[in-house]
Amino acid sequence: MTEHTEQTESCGFEPKIMAFVCNWCTYAGADLAGTSRMEYRPNVRIIKLPCTGRIDPLFIIKAFENGADGVLVSGCHPGDCHYTTGNYHARRRWIGFKNLMEFTGIDMRRLHFSWVSASEAIKWVDLINGITDEIKKIGPFMEYKGLKEKASL
Amino acid sequence: MKIPYYPGCTLNTVAKDFDLSAKTSALAMGFELAELPQWNCCGATFPLTPDNIIALTAPAKVLSNARLAGDTLTTLCSVCYNVLKRTNKVIRDDKERRSTINGFIEADYDGSLNIIHFLEILRDRIGFEKVKKAVKKPLNGLKAASYYGCMLLRPFEDMGIDDSEAPMIMENLVTALGAEPVTFPNKIECCGAHLAMNNEDIVTRLSGNVMTSAVNSGAEIIVTTCPLCHYNLEKSQPKVAESTPGYKNVPIVYFTQLLGLALGQNEAGLGFDKNQWDARPLLKKKGLL
Amino acid sequence: MPRIGVFVCQCGNNIAATVDTKKVAEEMKNLPGVVFACDYKFMCSSPGQDMLKNAIKDNKLDGVIVSACSPHMHEKTFRKACESAGLNPYQCEITNIREQCSWVHHDKTKKAGTLKSADLTRMTIERLKKNKPLAKIKIPVKKKAIVIGGGIAGIQAALDIAEGGVDVIIVEKEPSIGGNMARLSETFPTMDCSQCILTPKMVEAELHERITLYTYSEIEKVDGYIGNFTVQIRRKSKYVDEERCTGCGECIEKCPFKVDSAFELGMTKRKVIYTPFPQSVPNVPVIDAPNCTKIQKDKCGVCAIVCGPKCIDFKMEDKIVTVEAGAIIVATGYQLMPNERFGEYGYGRIKDVISGMQFERLASASGPTGGEIKRPSDGKVPRSVVFIQCAGSRDEKKGVSYCSKVCCMYTAKHTMLYSHKVHHGQSYVFYMDIRAGGKRYEEFVRRAIEHDNAMYLRGRVSRVYERDGKVLVQGADTLSGNQVEIEADMVVLATAIISRDGADTLAQKLSIGYDKYKFYNEYHPKLKPVETVTAGIFLAGTCMGPMDIPDSVAQGSAAASKVLSLFSADEMTREPITAIVNKVTCNSCWDCLTACPYSAIERDAVKNRQGVITKWLAKVNEGVCQGCGVCVAACRSKSIDLRGYTDEQVFAAINAF
Amino acid sequence: MKIKLAQSAIEGSEINQLERVTGEELKRCYQCGKCSAGCPVSFAMDIPPTQIMRFLQLGMFDDVMKANSLWVCVGCLQCYARCPQGCSVANVLEGLRQMVLRKGEDHYGVKEISARFLEKAPQQAIVCGFRKFVS
Ligand SMILES: Cc1cc2nc3c(=O)[nH]c(=O)nc-3n(C[C@H](O)[C@H](O)[C@H](O)COP(=O)(O)OP(=O)(O)OC[C@H]3O[C@@H](n4cnc5c(N)ncnc54)[C@H](O)[C@@H]3O)c2cc1C
Ligand SMILES: Cc1cc2nc3c(=O)[nH]c(=O)nc-3n(C[C@H](O)[C@H](O)[C@H](O)COP(=O)(O)OP(=O)(O)OC[C@H]3O[C@@H](n4cnc5c(N)ncnc54)[C@H](O)[C@@H]3O)c2cc1C
Ligand code: SF4
Ligand code: SF4
Ligand code: SF4
Ligand code: SF4
Ligand code: SF4
Ligand code: SF4
Ligand code: SF4
Ligand code: SF4
């Protein structure tokens, strides 16, 4: 039995984590983790976008509404963006965006930003393990649970 | 026009001739060097380690007192100029050190003074053209070498009075006075400075290099802006003459002495008698006295 | 209701070991819109693909999900298979359950892997439901290239393109092509005479039927995108009719006025009507208008009188020509840092302190001294010469921090040329490091030291000054730990190579990037060394940074091959992942326009029936748009969306989470 | 001389203190030799400026402290004015002097100064000399 399943059984709460990643760096980095047969926690679901610059703040809010306990946004390192400056745009947007998130009552520990390049499989693995464990500690994100159902009523 | 003036300790004592000739020349050019009512020694060396704040307090005190007298301060001695100008820049640009310094000297000085050298007054405020017009007795035929030393010029980004590798401000003045400027390679090299205190050999060698370089380039007289340079050159000259075959002693004077002379001031008020190597025979020979 | 088919791959045991593929397929069958689901051993194999194609036809599928390996692996394969079965390829989506699931979750109970695979597949299915069929974008390619800069890099690029059968225009701002190489005497490491190897290439470029030379010309404006650039070129007035001029040189001969020759770096004079150097291509003189008394004061006119074919026209004006081209190569080269910046070396004050490039002219047979090394002050042959390397390079305080790369080599070359031309002369070289990393380069430097008696001193020079007709050099030899003083007859500075004045303005016209020194940025320093971020614009030579002739030529050829491969088809296709504006809601705030890293968004005039402009709306130029989606996130009114990654698609995936 | 290198010496506390006091980054010096080339008193130094920087990079603080270089530097700033890396050996040497003087050790006793010098020399030389040599 792997280390991971042991943990799942003892801990009980399995957080759901949504990751928005860019196609060129982080997606490829995650692929490399796969081809290198590294192991990491299975809690993350990736949504691929061309660039972190494509990410709309609403994506993140929607993810939480849909039951995410944590959200990760990851793209190319500054200066390495496939689209030259897309990730700078993303970064600039976060500054204003962070305030908004806090305002809407999202614990900032649930939202992570990172850079993972196509060769940083280890970083990706550490990142996912780290975030999963941290969110396990914080516990499930209840504030938005049921929001979607309410909205559809 | 009155310009607040900081003489510094040396011009008040050993280099009285520098002070006198400058004051006299200034009057002849239509402005007055108004000595600060209250001043202290600048410390005679700018502390090179930024953490040595204590050493900045003396010049800072000078500056903060001077600010009460106006927004400009002029000096003559290269070292005072260097210390005051650099200290002023520290106070102006470095907020942290400014507040520490102000705490020490119990003042609230912000670095807003404009520190200018007497040479800059002549060049930038009056203009060498005007100086030339004011000359009553052109120093025709006098071959004068201008010696800058280090403190007037370096570091360039703080001092900025002239190109630090090829300054011309003194040569241009000398030309305006009708003399023949002699440029020589060692004009920006050090004279040995404070090593006068304990290392005569080095001073003799460095000052010697300056003087032989000037004389070999045809100088009959060497012009300085710094009492310490003046002292080191004068004092080293016998030994230099001894060890350099064919070397003839030359007078070492302050630029203000030549300025006063050219402006037609009475020789007695210019302090020529205080020079160790008397310039008067040379000046007489050239028909300038 | 959509008709979606789901294909879950086992990848032998690669997926099946930790994912219950059958179970995943079964679960998907329960989702609305899924009409077919199965798992299979190797989806990408021929039988696997055939199974997919048949299923599409048999079940009339309008959408396909393949849950298998990373889309970076087989997305193309499966989209192609769908296309051949009559399905729009963009109706096929991949779920990555191998790299993102089976390979990274080793749980042999298959619990975690199966759960995650099902989740991911479901998300993709929901996304697919919002997909719209897309068509690849086809862009016609105008098969003509423009090379900006006619130095060796540009000439090489143009010749290679022309040899490939494509028309090319060289735009050169000087009256002649040739660039800096035309000034060099002999060239390391083989010591061939620069003119001897360059002139044939210049002439070949002039005579090639596919090459057009626009000398004395500059780029005015660049519009368009890859395959379809529209370039305006300013052809500066030469005051000489190029077509009729026979190059007889009579006008130059008779012109009574002389000015400093820029080509000879001020070491000699040239006439007001001139060609920069005798082998100029084209061999047509130009009048230096600011210095011509006829043009300025309406006096003289001698040249026009003596010109047989009467081709001089003092009223000639600049012309703007517009050229359509499919690709552009930038090869604008370098210039040298002004030596006056280093007061301690005395350049400008001391006549016998010269630059390396001036030394090239002194050593050149066609130079001002006919190839004899004579010092500028008195024309004497210098008995000792000091070379100072890294003058301005590797100097963070007053110069540039980078290494100029060629000066170690050309200084070694200079000591050789000097020793060959002045027997018993002594050369000294002050260096910090010897950077001779090239084929036969280190051996070259050793030869200078061992056979040509160059005295190499490791250290910098503090000051250079004049004394008694000698140039005194005060330096250090750090290896012995001593100060060194040399009484030299001449000093040569190995001046830093810097970017051209105006390199930034040209870059802005072209929308290409440049670094803090205004050298142009390649797309990727290792893997895309001659591409730029703007598709269709390529780089060659020293406009990118210091390099020597072999590298400049290699890059010229590399850039040419890129152009030729671009031109190998009549039209280009590209992924239809581009932004699209909703004209109804766009409120012309232009947030997208400023956000787009590629300047792909334009202001588009909307006219009413009378043809009067009523408003301006954002419009995406599909040729330029790279599909990053930055604009989409920037638009506050949600009026712009990205095909293939629409808000709808992304939200659908999130909702299925 | 054979130098035994160890990390503890390279990152020694005196070196750190020196960097702190002077604001100079010793690592930046790339040993070009320009400072030594122009220093007017290099000829009289046990360890000339370029090597001062090198010795300190190697952590050889004690060797540098023993050298006369600290005391013969005239503070003319030739070294700083021309250093391509913007280093100031002058500042480093002053920092070293400070480290001696702040321990209360005079380099030159007041009594050693000749009476003739005190009488004739310009005040500035005396003040400056005291500053540089006396704690
Ligand atoms: C002193 C010295 C000696 C050298 N010796 C050697 C040697 O021996 N061997 C060796 O391999 N290398 C040597 N080199 C390096 C060599 O000069 C370069 O590698 C080579 O010349 C670079 O060629 P290029 O085409 O990139 O640039 P350039 O020669 O600079 O050509 C660029 C061309 O573009 C034109 N241009 C610039 N801007 C524009 C514009 N906006 N519009 C239109 N046209 C424009 C210019 O007029 C020029 O004709 C030496 C360099 C120096 C400084
Ligand atoms: C320790 C080290 C570190 C380096 N680090 C860097 C770095 O950080 N950055 C950098 O830019 N460069 C680096 N390099 C240099 C870099 O490795 C080379 O520039 C680059 O790999 C060269 O690629 P190549 O294709 O020319 O040759 P190779 O990588 O050698 O490829 C040649 C291929 O041809 C095959 N082959 C050989 N002979 C035959 C034959 N007869 N028939 C068929 N196939 C054949 C070989 O098997 C091989 O696959 C480093 C080099 C070393 C040694
Ligand atoms: S499609 Fe991908 S996952 Fe399936 S067999 Fe082929 S390589 Fe393996
Ligand atoms: S008209 Fe101008 S170019 Fe012609 S000969 Fe006279 S000066 Fe020379
Ligand atoms: S004289 Fe006329 S034909 Fe001859 S080179 Fe001059 S312009 Fe050309
Ligand atoms: S190539 Fe040599 S001389 Fe030129 S900057 Fe680099 S190290 Fe200095
Ligand atoms: S998707 Fe990217 S490249 Fe295309 S228009 Fe939008 S910002 Fe520009
Ligand atoms: S950001 Fe949106 S609303 Fe503004 S101009 Fe662009 S498409 Fe129109
Ligand atoms: S000049 Fe500067 S970089 Fe060169 S050796 Fe001296 S301190 Fe080091
Ligand atoms: S400041 Fe000191 S070390 Fe620097 S050049 Fe002058 S004497 Fe030499």
Side-chain angles (χ1 to χ4, degrees), chain D residues 28-36 49-50 53 79 82-89:
Chain D
R28 286 186 52 78
C29 166
Y30 57 19
Q31 294 296 301
C32 70
K34 196 154 178 152
C35 49
S36 282
T50 302
M53 298 299 272
C79 49
R82 293 177 189 145
C83 173
Q85 289 291 88
C87 304
S88 174
V89 186

mmCIF file of all heavy atoms in Angstrom, chain D residues 28-36 49-50 53 79 82-89, ligand 9:
data_model
loop_
_atom_site.group_PDB
_atom_site.id
_atom_site.type_symbol
_atom_site.label_atom_id
_atom_site.label_comp_id
_atom_site.label_asym_id
_atom_site.label_seq_id
_atom_site.Cartn_x
_atom_site.Cartn_y
_atom_site.Cartn_z
ATOM 1 N N ARG D 28 32.740 41.733 -6.120
ATOM 2 C CA ARG D 28 32.596 42.388 -7.417
ATOM 3 C C ARG D 28 33.943 42.607 -8.114
ATOM 4 O O ARG D 28 34.016 42.694 -9.326
ATOM 5 C CB ARG D 28 31.870 43.727 -7.264
ATOM 6 C CG ARG D 28 30.383 43.540 -7.007
ATOM 7 C CD ARG D 28 29.657 44.867 -7.010
ATOM 8 N NE ARG D 28 29.949 45.654 -8.202
ATOM 9 C CZ ARG D 28 29.412 45.444 -9.392
ATOM 10 N NH1 ARG D 28 28.536 44.483 -9.552
ATOM 11 N NH2 ARG D 28 29.740 46.201 -10.418
ATOM 12 N N CYS D 29 34.996 42.726 -7.358
ATOM 13 C CA CYS D 29 36.308 42.970 -7.973
ATOM 14 C C CYS D 29 36.684 41.772 -8.837
ATOM 15 O O CYS D 29 36.675 40.644 -8.377
ATOM 16 C CB CYS D 29 37.362 43.179 -6.903
ATOM 17 S SG CYS D 29 39.036 43.065 -7.566
ATOM 18 N N TYR D 30 36.987 42.014 -10.111
ATOM 19 C CA TYR D 30 37.372 40.897 -10.976
ATOM 20 C C TYR D 30 38.849 40.943 -11.341
ATOM 21 O O TYR D 30 39.273 40.427 -12.370
ATOM 22 C CB TYR D 30 36.469 40.761 -12.193
ATOM 23 C CG TYR D 30 36.326 41.968 -13.119
ATOM 24 C CD1 TYR D 30 37.234 42.995 -13.140
ATOM 25 C CD2 TYR D 30 35.253 42.024 -14.008
ATOM 26 C CE1 TYR D 30 37.091 44.067 -14.004
ATOM 27 C CE2 TYR D 30 35.097 43.088 -14.881
ATOM 28 C CZ TYR D 30 36.023 44.115 -14.874
ATOM 29 O OH TYR D 30 35.878 45.171 -15.738
ATOM 30 N N GLN D 31 39.616 41.607 -10.469
ATOM 31 C CA GLN D 31 41.073 41.499 -10.558
ATOM 32 C C GLN D 31 41.655 42.029 -11.857
ATOM 33 O O GLN D 31 42.575 41.442 -12.409
ATOM 34 C CB GLN D 31 41.483 40.029 -10.367
ATOM 35 C CG GLN D 31 41.190 39.517 -8.989
ATOM 36 C CD GLN D 31 42.002 40.257 -7.969
ATOM 37 O OE1 GLN D 31 43.217 40.254 -8.017
ATOM 38 N NE2 GLN D 31 41.352 40.946 -7.050
ATOM 39 N N CYS D 32 41.095 43.112 -12.337
ATOM 40 C CA CYS D 32 41.582 43.613 -13.611
ATOM 41 C C CYS D 32 42.917 44.335 -13.465
ATOM 42 O O CYS D 32 43.650 44.494 -14.420
ATOM 43 C CB CYS D 32 40.562 44.542 -14.241
ATOM 44 S SG CYS D 32 40.383 46.096 -13.366
ATOM 45 N N GLY D 33 43.181 44.815 -12.277
ATOM 46 C CA GLY D 33 44.465 45.460 -12.053
ATOM 47 C C GLY D 33 44.491 46.950 -12.292
ATOM 48 O O GLY D 33 45.516 47.609 -12.117
ATOM 49 N N LYS D 34 43.361 47.497 -12.687
ATOM 50 C CA LYS D 34 43.344 48.916 -13.031
ATOM 51 C C LYS D 34 43.693 49.808 -11.832
ATOM 52 O O LYS D 34 44.354 50.825 -11.972
ATOM 53 C CB LYS D 34 41.967 49.287 -13.582
ATOM 54 C CG LYS D 34 41.935 50.597 -14.323
ATOM 55 C CD LYS D 34 40.807 50.620 -15.351
ATOM 56 C CE LYS D 34 40.762 51.957 -16.050
ATOM 57 N NZ LYS D 34 40.233 51.870 -17.397
ATOM 58 N N CYS D 35 43.228 49.402 -10.655
ATOM 59 C CA CYS D 35 43.516 50.211 -9.466
ATOM 60 C C CYS D 35 45.009 50.222 -9.183
ATOM 61 O O CYS D 35 45.605 51.282 -8.951
ATOM 62 C CB CYS D 35 42.730 49.714 -8.264
ATOM 63 S SG CYS D 35 42.840 47.943 -7.987
ATOM 64 N N SER D 36 45.623 49.048 -9.221
ATOM 65 C CA SER D 36 47.070 48.996 -8.982
ATOM 66 C C SER D 36 47.823 49.782 -10.045
ATOM 67 O O SER D 36 48.822 50.428 -9.763
ATOM 68 C CB SER D 36 47.560 47.554 -9.000
ATOM 69 O OG SER D 36 47.242 46.920 -7.797
ATOM 70 N N PRO D 49 46.868 47.477 -4.384
ATOM 71 C CA PRO D 49 45.408 47.480 -4.288
ATOM 72 C C PRO D 49 44.703 46.255 -4.866
ATOM 73 O O PRO D 49 43.857 45.671 -4.205
ATOM 74 C CB PRO D 49 45.013 48.741 -5.061
ATOM 75 C CG PRO D 49 46.185 49.640 -4.926
ATOM 76 C CD PRO D 49 47.387 48.760 -4.862
ATOM 77 N N THR D 50 45.042 45.875 -6.091
ATOM 78 C CA THR D 50 44.361 44.732 -6.696
ATOM 79 C C THR D 50 44.492 43.493 -5.811
ATOM 80 O O THR D 50 43.532 42.757 -5.597
ATOM 81 C CB THR D 50 44.978 44.431 -8.078
ATOM 82 O OG1 THR D 50 44.860 45.582 -8.875
ATOM 83 C CG2 THR D 50 44.280 43.265 -8.752
ATOM 84 N N MET D 53 42.361 43.392 -2.703
ATOM 85 C CA MET D 53 41.011 42.887 -2.974
ATOM 86 C C MET D 53 41.032 41.356 -3.073
ATOM 87 O O MET D 53 40.146 40.680 -2.574
ATOM 88 C CB MET D 53 40.455 43.497 -4.259
ATOM 89 C CG MET D 53 40.306 45.009 -4.220
ATOM 90 S SD MET D 53 39.174 45.591 -2.952
ATOM 91 C CE MET D 53 37.619 45.547 -3.835
ATOM 92 N N CYS D 79 41.881 54.879 -7.755
ATOM 93 C CA CYS D 79 41.414 53.502 -7.891
ATOM 94 C C CYS D 79 39.916 53.493 -8.123
ATOM 95 O O CYS D 79 39.416 52.856 -9.047
ATOM 96 C CB CYS D 79 41.776 52.692 -6.645
ATOM 97 S SG CYS D 79 41.330 53.489 -5.096
ATOM 98 N N ARG D 82 38.449 54.951 -11.541
ATOM 99 C CA ARG D 82 38.601 54.221 -12.799
ATOM 100 C C ARG D 82 38.182 52.756 -12.718
ATOM 101 O O ARG D 82 38.212 52.052 -13.714
ATOM 102 C CB ARG D 82 40.046 54.305 -13.267
ATOM 103 C CG ARG D 82 40.415 55.723 -13.650
ATOM 104 C CD ARG D 82 41.860 55.851 -14.039
ATOM 105 N NE ARG D 82 42.201 57.266 -14.186
ATOM 106 C CZ ARG D 82 43.378 57.772 -13.874
ATOM 107 N NH1 ARG D 82 44.319 56.996 -13.420
ATOM 108 N NH2 ARG D 82 43.600 59.059 -14.035
ATOM 109 N N CYS D 83 37.823 52.298 -11.552
ATOM 110 C CA CYS D 83 37.467 50.875 -11.447
ATOM 111 C C CYS D 83 36.242 50.573 -12.302
ATOM 112 O O CYS D 83 35.197 51.172 -12.133
ATOM 113 C CB CYS D 83 37.181 50.485 -10.006
ATOM 114 S SG CYS D 83 36.543 48.792 -9.893
ATOM 115 N N PRO D 84 36.368 49.629 -13.228
ATOM 116 C CA PRO D 84 35.246 49.310 -14.107
ATOM 117 C C PRO D 84 34.086 48.684 -13.350
ATOM 118 O O PRO D 84 32.959 48.684 -13.839
ATOM 119 C CB PRO D 84 35.822 48.295 -15.085
ATOM 120 C CG PRO D 84 37.274 48.182 -14.811
ATOM 121 C CD PRO D 84 37.553 48.799 -13.496
ATOM 122 N N GLN D 85 34.353 48.152 -12.194
ATOM 123 C CA GLN D 85 33.302 47.497 -11.436
ATOM 124 C C GLN D 85 32.734 48.415 -10.355
ATOM 125 O O GLN D 85 31.896 47.999 -9.567
ATOM 126 C CB GLN D 85 33.851 46.227 -10.770
ATOM 127 C CG GLN D 85 34.137 45.102 -11.734
ATOM 128 C CD GLN D 85 32.863 44.518 -12.320
ATOM 129 O OE1 GLN D 85 32.364 44.996 -13.328
ATOM 130 N NE2 GLN D 85 32.321 43.510 -11.664
ATOM 131 N N GLY D 86 33.238 49.629 -10.311
ATOM 132 C CA GLY D 86 32.736 50.556 -9.310
ATOM 133 C C GLY D 86 33.173 50.222 -7.889
ATOM 134 O O GLY D 86 32.572 50.666 -6.925
ATOM 135 N N CYS D 87 34.244 49.432 -7.749
ATOM 136 C CA CYS D 87 34.754 49.139 -6.409
ATOM 137 C C CYS D 87 35.644 50.281 -5.943
ATOM 138 O O CYS D 87 36.257 50.971 -6.753
ATOM 139 C CB CYS D 87 35.621 47.878 -6.398
ATOM 140 S SG CYS D 87 34.819 46.420 -7.037
ATOM 141 N N SER D 88 35.741 50.444 -4.665
ATOM 142 C CA SER D 88 36.650 51.452 -4.139
ATOM 143 C C SER D 88 37.623 50.802 -3.173
ATOM 144 O O SER D 88 37.277 50.478 -2.042
ATOM 145 C CB SER D 88 35.865 52.559 -3.430
ATOM 146 O OG SER D 88 36.762 53.448 -2.823
ATOM 147 N N VAL D 89 38.843 50.618 -3.649
ATOM 148 C CA VAL D 89 39.872 50.087 -2.756
ATOM 149 C C VAL D 89 40.130 51.109 -1.651
ATOM 150 O O VAL D 89 40.393 50.762 -0.500
ATOM 151 C CB VAL D 89 41.179 49.790 -3.517
ATOM 152 C CG1 VAL D 89 42.178 49.110 -2.601
ATOM 153 C CG2 VAL D 89 40.910 48.920 -4.729
HETATM 154 S S1 SF4 E 9 40.070 48.313 -10.513
HETATM 155 FE FE1 SF4 E 9 38.338 47.483 -9.404
HETATM 156 S S2 SF4 E 9 37.891 45.509 -10.365
HETATM 157 FE FE2 SF4 E 9 39.910 46.145 -11.042
HETATM 158 S S3 SF4 E 9 41.273 45.136 -9.601
HETATM 159 FE FE3 SF4 E 9 40.879 47.166 -8.792
HETATM 160 S S4 SF4 E 9 39.125 46.941 -7.425
HETATM 161 FE FE4 SF4 E 9 39.256 45.109 -8.682
#
